[in-house]
């Protein structure tokens, strides 16, 4: 068990990196509208603040009112507990206007909840607003009113919230104050964000597993939070994963909507409160979609580790599990040959060849970089011994490179918890 923290500090209880503010059917902009976002914190708390971000915005956005409450159910309905519901203020005001690229913390409130309870952040946007800085929610329901419904943030029953956007808008973290040991960040792409974590494990590859509606928070940070809580660690966990996010600029895909990992790491991880350590798990997008070389991924990882080391943040470097095959190559799985491109029997997809080289570098050179305190060998934990360029068959969902909920749990078991803090 970890030693008890000494002094109270702000840590991240829940977080989601800002992704973009691109116009879409889910993020069209609006007028006089309220939202209710459902989150599962990684630690219990008695004092909180909410962080709002107009990071990608190009016009001012006015939050007319906002609230933090304990949710009545596990994100399945918008109902909240009116006895554990507090209005948020900003320097004493119930309203705040965020300028383009501006971010702000609410004033602290005291809402008591325990580990495992869900929270709801309600927000009313005043006037007309464009597409908002958002994060595409992979794993939970959120709620909004119809356009023009006005301020319904005090609606505890939630009947006014009749629509279900798959995004968290403007809100990028809920932070807690108390005698915590700090925050650990999990940094990477969609496999950190928890894509396909709500799929079961009843089938085996190549038969797809199916969506499980109640399994909506088995993503890596939720598994890690449960492990830390069980082991007695008092650490908040920040999810800094972004869908389709490459590690390096040389791998920015055409039309990509997120900043390269090396460029967003400072803002999305190092500038967050209480950061003590980070699990760096990135590079798969570079290898799979953009088909870059192992040396390019290694350079990006070296850059990220150097940034963390300079800030005094401990790094656990994760290997990249299968199947990170290069999608522009012919050696990819097909219905007729589901293991096409595997090293056994070969020929191997070039993306998998490069992944093997990256993992060999992580286990040797990467593990010795200043600031790296341990390796999380996700590849060893997840690979199918009979076909090592593929995930274990029961981890298969629909794409063969995002694990299901059980797969994320097995991956979590490879994280050396004692390395997250100095001994």
């Amino acid at each position: 068990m970890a030693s008890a923290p000494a002094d109270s500090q702000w840590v991240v209880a829940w977080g989601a990196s800002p992704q973009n503010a691109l116009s879409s059917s889910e993020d069209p902009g609006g007028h006089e509208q309220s939202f209710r976002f459902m989150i599962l914190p990684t630690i219990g708390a008695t004092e909180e603040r909410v962080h709002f971000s107009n990071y990608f915005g190009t016009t001012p956005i006015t939050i007319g009112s906002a609230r933090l409450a304990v949710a009545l159910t596990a994100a399945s309905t918008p109902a909240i507990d009116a006895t554990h519901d507090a209005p948020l203020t900003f320097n004493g005001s119930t309203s705040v206007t965020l300028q383009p690229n501006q971010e702000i913390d609410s004033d602290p409130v005291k809402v008591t909840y325990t580990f495992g309870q869900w929270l709801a952040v309600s927000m009313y946007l005043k006037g007309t607003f464009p597409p908002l800085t958002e994060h595409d929610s992979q794993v939970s329901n959120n709620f909004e009113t119809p356009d023009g419904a006005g301020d319904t943030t005090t609606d505890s029953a939630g009947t006014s919230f009749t629509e279900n956007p798959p995004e968290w808008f403007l809100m990028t973290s809920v932070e807690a104050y108390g005698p915590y040991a700090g925050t650990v960040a999990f940094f990477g792409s969609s496999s950190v964000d928890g894509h396909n974590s709500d799929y079961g494990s009843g089938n085996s590859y190549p038969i797809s597993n199916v969506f499980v509606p109640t399994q909506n928070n088995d993503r890596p940070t939720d598994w890690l939070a449960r492990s830390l809580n069980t082991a007695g660690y008092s650490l908040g966990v920040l999810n800094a994963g972004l869908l389709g996010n490459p590690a390096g600029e040389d791998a920015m895909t055409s039309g990509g909507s997120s900043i390269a990992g090396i460029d967003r790491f400072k803002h999305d991880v190092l500038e967050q409160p209480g950061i003590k350590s980070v699990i760096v798990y990135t590079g798969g997008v570079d290898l799979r979609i953009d088909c870059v070389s192992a040396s390019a991924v290694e350079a990006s990882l070296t850059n990220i580790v150097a940034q963390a080391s300079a800030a005094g943040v401990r790094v656990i470097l994760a290997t990249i599990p299968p199947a990170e095959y290069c999608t522009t190559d012919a050696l990819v799985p097909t219905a007729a040959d589901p293991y096409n491109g595997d090293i056994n029997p070969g020929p191997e997809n070039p993306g998998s060849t490069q992944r093997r080289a990256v993992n060999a570098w992580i286990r040797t050179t990467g593990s010795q970089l200043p600031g790296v305190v341990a390796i999380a060998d996700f590849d060893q934990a997840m690979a199918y011994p009979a076909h090592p360029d593929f995930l274990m068959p029961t981890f298969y969902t629909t794409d063969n490179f995002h694990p299901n909920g059980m797969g994320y749990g097995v991956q979590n078991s490879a994280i050396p918890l004692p390395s997250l803090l100095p001994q």
Side-chain angles (χ1 to χ4, degrees):
M1 180 179 292
S3 58
D7 301 319
S8 290
Q9 61 177 312
W10 285 104
V11 300
V12 177
W14 175 92
S17 298
Q19 187 169 350
N20 60 56
L22 300 177
S23 179
S24 68
S25 58
E26 292 86 13
D27 190 6
H31 173 75
E32 291 289 320
Q33 195 171 9
S34 294
F35 302 84
R36 182 160 288 169
F37 307 117
M38 316 306 288
I39 65 165
L40 182 61
T42 58
I43 47 173
T46 58
E47 184 173 0
E48 306 81 24
R49 66 189 183 193
V50 181
H51 189 78
F52 294 93
S53 173
N54 194 20
Y55 191 69
F56 290 107
T58 58
T59 63
I61 304 291
T62 298
I63 300 174
S65 64
R67 309 183 73 87
L68 177 68
V70 174
L72 283 182
T73 58
S76 58
T77 76
I80 59 174
D81 182 351
T83 65
H84 292 82
D85 174 28
L88 299 176
T89 58
F90 307 90
N91 293 321
S93 174
T94 58
S95 177
V96 66
T97 297
L98 291 175
Q99 298 301 319
N101 312 123
Q102 184 183 0
E103 300 181 287
I104 192 171
D105 287 316
S106 72
D107 300 328
V109 295
K110 292 184 180 294
V111 175
T112 298
Y113 66 90
T114 58
F115 177 76
Q117 282 189 292
W118 285 74
L119 296 180
V121 176
S122 303
M123 175 185 73
Y124 154 60
L125 296 187
K126 187 175 181 179
T128 300
F129 53 89
L132 302 166
T133 292
E134 58 93 18
H135 181 101
D136 184 16
S137 169
Q138 298 285 301
V139 292
S140 69
N141 292 317
N142 291 308
F143 302 92
E144 68 184 19
T145 64
D147 193 54
D151 185 358
T152 67
T153 54
T154 59
D155 175 10
S156 58
T159 55
S160 64
F161 296 94
T162 57
E163 301 177 13
N164 296 100
E167 279 81 22
W168 293 295
F169 297 121
L170 299 185
M171 178 198 67
T172 56
S173 66
V174 173
E175 299 159 7
Y177 185 76
Y180 304 111
T183 301
V184 54
F186 215 138
F187 180 78
S189 58
S190 54
S191 290
V192 170
D193 208 16
H195 188 71
N196 285 355
S197 63
D198 47 10
Y199 276 68
S201 54
N203 294 325
S204 293
Y205 180 77
I207 301 172
S208 296
N209 276 294
V210 296
F211 172 69
V212 181
T214 57
Q215 188 174 288
N216 58 4
N217 268 269
D218 271 340
R219 58 184 183 160
T221 43
D222 298 300
W223 278 102
L224 180 57
R226 291 192 290 265
S227 294
L228 291 170
N229 183 71
T230 299
Y233 287 82
S234 186
L235 277 167
V237 184
L238 164 64
N239 191 307
L242 279 184
L243 184 67
N245 188 233
E249 292 165 344
D250 51 345
M252 290 297 287
T253 56
S254 176
S257 61
S258 55
I259 302 170
I262 58 174
D263 295 323
R264 71 180 183 92
F265 185 72
K266 181 175 184 289
H267 173 270
D268 290 359
V269 174
L270 300 180
E271 293 180 353
Q272 303 307 307
I275 291 292
K276 296 295 188 293
S277 55
V278 58
I279 300 163
V280 175
Y281 172 32
T282 187
V285 169
D286 311 59
L287 297 169
R288 184 177 66 251
I289 298 177
D290 298 284
C291 305
V292 304
S293 67
S295 60
V297 175
E298 293 158 12
S300 296
L301 293 175
T302 300
N303 179 310
I304 291 168
V305 169
Q307 291 184 56
S309 180
V313 173
R314 301 166 67 85
V315 177
I316 294 178
L317 203 54
T319 57
I320 303 172
E324 302 296 347
Y325 44 79
C326 174
T327 52
T328 64
D329 191 87
L331 293 169
V332 296
T334 65
D337 187 358
Y339 290 106
N340 187 37
D342 183 62
I343 196 172
N344 181 20
E348 186 180 46
N349 178 282
S352 294
T353 304
Q354 296 304 302
R355 181 184 65 84
R356 288 179 178 279
V358 170
N359 286 343
W361 177 88
I362 288 173
R363 294 179 180 119
T364 55
T365 304
S367 67
Q368 302 303 309
L369 293 174
V372 175
V373 297
I375 296 298
D377 204 335
F378 293 166
D379 175 50
Q380 185 178 51
M382 305 282 282
Y384 181 31
H387 293 283
D389 286 329
F390 288 76
L391 296 171
M392 289 290 291
T394 53
F395 299 165
Y396 177 64
T397 53
T398 59
D399 56 23
N400 202 44
F401 50 84
H402 291 103
N404 55 21
M406 182 179 74
Y408 282 121
V410 171
Q411 174 182 286
N412 178 72
S413 67
I415 299 172
L417 300 186
S419 297
L420 293 171
L421 293 172
Q423 299 301 302

